[in-house]
């Protein structure tokens, strides 16, 4: 009987192991992840604690997105100076990625210039993960700017019961492109308030639950006919709940809320997943990939305008992502290993797929 009890105890320990997160459990450059997105206003994001089981297996995907960590070799000139190999040590980023954390809609609504493709720059260190600055594309020109006060997203190693706080301050002078300025002040409070096992449609994982509370104040300065003024941008208090595992370098599940009239309202839910709809029978429009087989370069014809393109390996991992604007000279596949790949084309929230062999 003692042997049986001991065996069951060891099994439970294996399933519900309390883990520690280190820098090796967070992203580096050239990594791609697929997230399914959904919205459930009644989802239970508050229940947590030690040796807890979070069962989110009933989540159903309504859309998907990819998260890609881009290498520092693919930067614009100004961003290379700000975050590349010649930057001060604290600003030498590990990678950058597209972000929606900046209230772009509010900023562009008061500017006569076009701001697109926001990127965030991240530095992965042994003791912490920091966000060291941003890049805006203003009138098509990439403009990188460092944070004056660098925000720490994670203090490492990360264990159950840990808590920390960090302040970030960033300002951007858009001159000489346009006489405008933007500044952002963020205060982050983070705590690891749970450990246990999380279950999602992607699988079951030992995880830590991290709760971030973020207070942010943004404002923009405009000069009109020689008269300048600062305009505040309304940013609600936000909460971010994320479950992280040692088996992946991105969150297994992330739930975001905004505080409205004293109550938290769920604004987004995303969880790690495989790319859905991976069958040519589900194609929404016709596409053609050639040559096939291919060795170093492929071209894609589509009856609809291509917004984005993903190349997916046989394990379901996105190994390359491109926008439609980058496809005129073909898709470089020289770095891919030999095998069969799927090309997924996105157009106006519709997807089509074709396969090729390298």
């Amino acid at each position: 009987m003692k042997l049986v009890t001991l065996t069951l105890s060891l099994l439970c320990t294996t399933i519900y192991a309390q883990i520690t997160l280190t820098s090796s459990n967070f992203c580096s450059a050239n990594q791609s992840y697929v997230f399914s997105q959904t919205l459930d206003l009644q989802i239970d994001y508050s229940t947590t604690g030690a040796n807890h089981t979070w069962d989110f297996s009933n989540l159903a995907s309504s859309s998907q997105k990819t998260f890609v960590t881009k290498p520092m070799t693919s930067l614009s000139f100004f961003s290379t100076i700000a975050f590349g190999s010649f930057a001060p040590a604290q600003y030498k980023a590990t990678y950058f990625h597209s972000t929606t954390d900046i209230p772009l809609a509010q900023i562009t609504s008061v500017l006569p210039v076009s701001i697109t493709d926001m990127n965030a720059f991240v530095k992965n260190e042994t003791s912490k993960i920091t966000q060291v600055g941003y890049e805006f594309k203003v009138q098509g020109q990439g403009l990188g700017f460092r944070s004056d006060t660098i925000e720490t997203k994670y203090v490492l190693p990360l264990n159950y019961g840990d808590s920390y706080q960090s302040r970030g301050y960033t300002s951007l002078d858009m001159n000489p492109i346009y006489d405008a300025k933007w500044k952002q002040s963020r205060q982050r409070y983070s705590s690891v308030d749970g450990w246990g096992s999380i279950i999602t449609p992607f699988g079951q994982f030992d995880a830590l639950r991290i709760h971030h509370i973020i207070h942010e104040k943004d404002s923009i300065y405009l000069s009109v006919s020689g008269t300048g003024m600062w305009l505040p941008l309304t940013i609600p208090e936000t909460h971010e709940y994320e479950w992280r595992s040692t088996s992946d370098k991105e969150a297994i599940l992330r739930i975001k809320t905004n505080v409205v009239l004293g109550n938290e309202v769920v604004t987004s839910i995303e969880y790690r997943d495989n790319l859905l709809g991976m069958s040519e029978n589900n194609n929404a429009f016709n596409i053609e990939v050639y040559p096939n087989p291919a060795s170093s370069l492929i071209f894609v014809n589509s009856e609809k305008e291509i917004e984005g393109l993903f190349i997916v390996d046989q394990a379901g991992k996105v190994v390359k992502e491109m926008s439609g604007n980058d496809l005129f000279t073909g898709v470089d596949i020289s770095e891919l290993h030999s095998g069969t790949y799927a090309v997924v084309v996105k157009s106006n929230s519709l997807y089509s797929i074709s396969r090729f062999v390298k």
Side-chain angles (χ1 to χ4, degrees):
M1 180 64 69
K2 289 183 178 180
L3 178 60
V4 173
T5 302
L6 177 61
T7 302
L8 289 175
S9 176
L10 289 173
L11 284 175
C12 290
T13 302
T14 301
I15 296 174
Y16 303 102
Q18 186 173 169
I19 63 173
T20 296
L21 296 177
T22 67
S23 61
S24 65
N25 303 125
F26 290 82
C27 285
S28 56
N30 291 309
Q31 295 176 325
S32 300
Y33 297 95
V34 175
F35 284 90
S36 278
Q37 298 170 299
T38 187
L39 189 61
D40 178 359
L41 298 180
Q42 304 303 316
I43 193 170
D44 181 8
Y45 55 80
S46 60
T47 304
T48 190
N51 200 20
H52 190 78
T53 299
W54 299 276
D55 188 351
F56 298 105
S57 57
N58 290 327
L59 290 173
S61 176
S62 58
S63 62
Q64 289 195 310
K65 74 171 191 177
T66 58
F67 176 78
V68 180
T69 60
K70 301 175 184 177
M72 302 304 293
T73 54
S74 56
L75 285 174
S76 68
F77 173 76
F78 292 111
S79 295
T80 298
I81 294 175
F83 304 108
S85 58
F86 295 104
Q90 67 269 33
Y91 290 106
K92 289 181 180 178
T94 306
Y95 65 87
F96 68 100
H97 64 87
S98 62
T99 181
T100 57
D101 287 344
I102 301 174
L104 181 64
Q106 294 190 53
I107 295 174
T108 55
S109 66
V110 295
L111 287 178
V113 294
S114 172
I115 298 179
T116 58
D117 298 334
M118 298 176 298
N119 292 308
F121 290 82
V122 178
K123 185 175 179 62
N124 185 332
E125 300 180 81
T126 302
S127 61
K128 58 187 175 181
I129 307 293
T130 55
Q131 186 160 296
V132 298
Y134 298 100
E135 178 189 63
F136 283 171
K137 283 193 176 179
V138 183
Q139 300 293 85
Q141 172 64 57
L143 190 60
F145 50 101
R146 302 166 182 159
S147 295
D148 303 280
T149 303
I150 296 174
E151 181 178 347
T152 299
K153 300 185 70 175
Y154 304 95
V155 174
L156 304 174
L158 207 53
N159 293 284
Y160 173 63
D162 288 351
S163 62
Y164 58 93
Q165 57 180 285
S166 177
R167 178 176 175 268
Y169 178 80
T170 308
S171 62
L172 167 66
D173 189 339
M174 299 182 191
N175 284 293
I177 298 174
Y178 185 72
D179 187 14
K181 301 175 184 178
W182 169 81
K183 62 183 179 181
Q184 176 198 68
S185 179
R186 286 164 57 93
Q187 181 69 51
R188 174 187 294 266
Y189 304 90
S190 300
S191 61
V192 186
D193 61 7
W195 71 270
S197 179
I198 181 172
I199 308 169
T200 73
F202 189 58
Q204 182 170 355
F205 307 89
D206 295 330
L208 293 180
R209 209 289 282 269
I210 311 166
H211 178 197
H212 308 277
I213 304 173
I214 300 172
H215 298 271
E216 181 174 337
K217 293 182 180 180
D218 287 41
S219 56
I220 190 164
Y221 175 87
L222 293 176
S223 178
V224 180
S225 301
T227 301
M229 66 182 71
W230 282 100
L231 302 176
L233 304 177
T234 303
I235 309 294
E237 176 185 314
T238 62
H239 291 242
E240 182 176 311
Y241 304 86
E242 60 175 342
W243 287 257
R244 282 187 169 267
S245 169
T246 55
S247 64
D248 219 331
K249 296 183 184 295
E250 252 300 317
I252 300 298
L253 172 68
R254 185 177 287 115
I255 300 173
K256 293 183 180 181
T257 71
N258 285 346
V259 176
V260 180
L261 299 177
N263 298 310
E264 288 185 59
V265 178
V266 177
T267 57
S268 71
I269 302 170
E270 57 185 37
Y271 58 92
R272 284 278 291 110
D273 207 353
N274 295 310
L275 199 62
L276 303 178
M278 294 293 290
S279 170
E280 287 89 339
N281 295 329
N282 298 327
N283 281 357
F285 50 92
N286 294 323
I287 63 172
E288 177 190 13
V289 177
Y290 65 94
N292 188 10
S295 58
S296 59
L297 200 66
I298 61 171
F299 296 87
V300 180
N301 284 337
S302 170
E303 68 174 349
K304 291 185 177 293
E305 181 180 357
I306 299 176
E307 296 177 5
L309 178 145
F310 314 97
I311 296 182
V312 185
D313 65 15
Q314 290 178 292
K317 180 181 178 181
V318 177
V319 294
K320 195 177 187 71
E321 179 183 14
M322 300 179 69
S323 68
N325 295 330
D326 297 328
L327 299 176
F328 296 108
T329 58
V331 181
D332 183 5
I333 60 167
S334 59
E335 295 182 356
L336 300 183
H337 299 296
S338 297
T340 300
Y341 294 87
V343 175
V344 182
V345 173
K346 178 183 179 182
S347 178
N348 194 27
S349 298
L350 299 175
Y351 293 86
S352 286
I353 179 174
S354 185
R355 300 179 191 274
F356 72 92
V357 176
K358 182 185 177 186

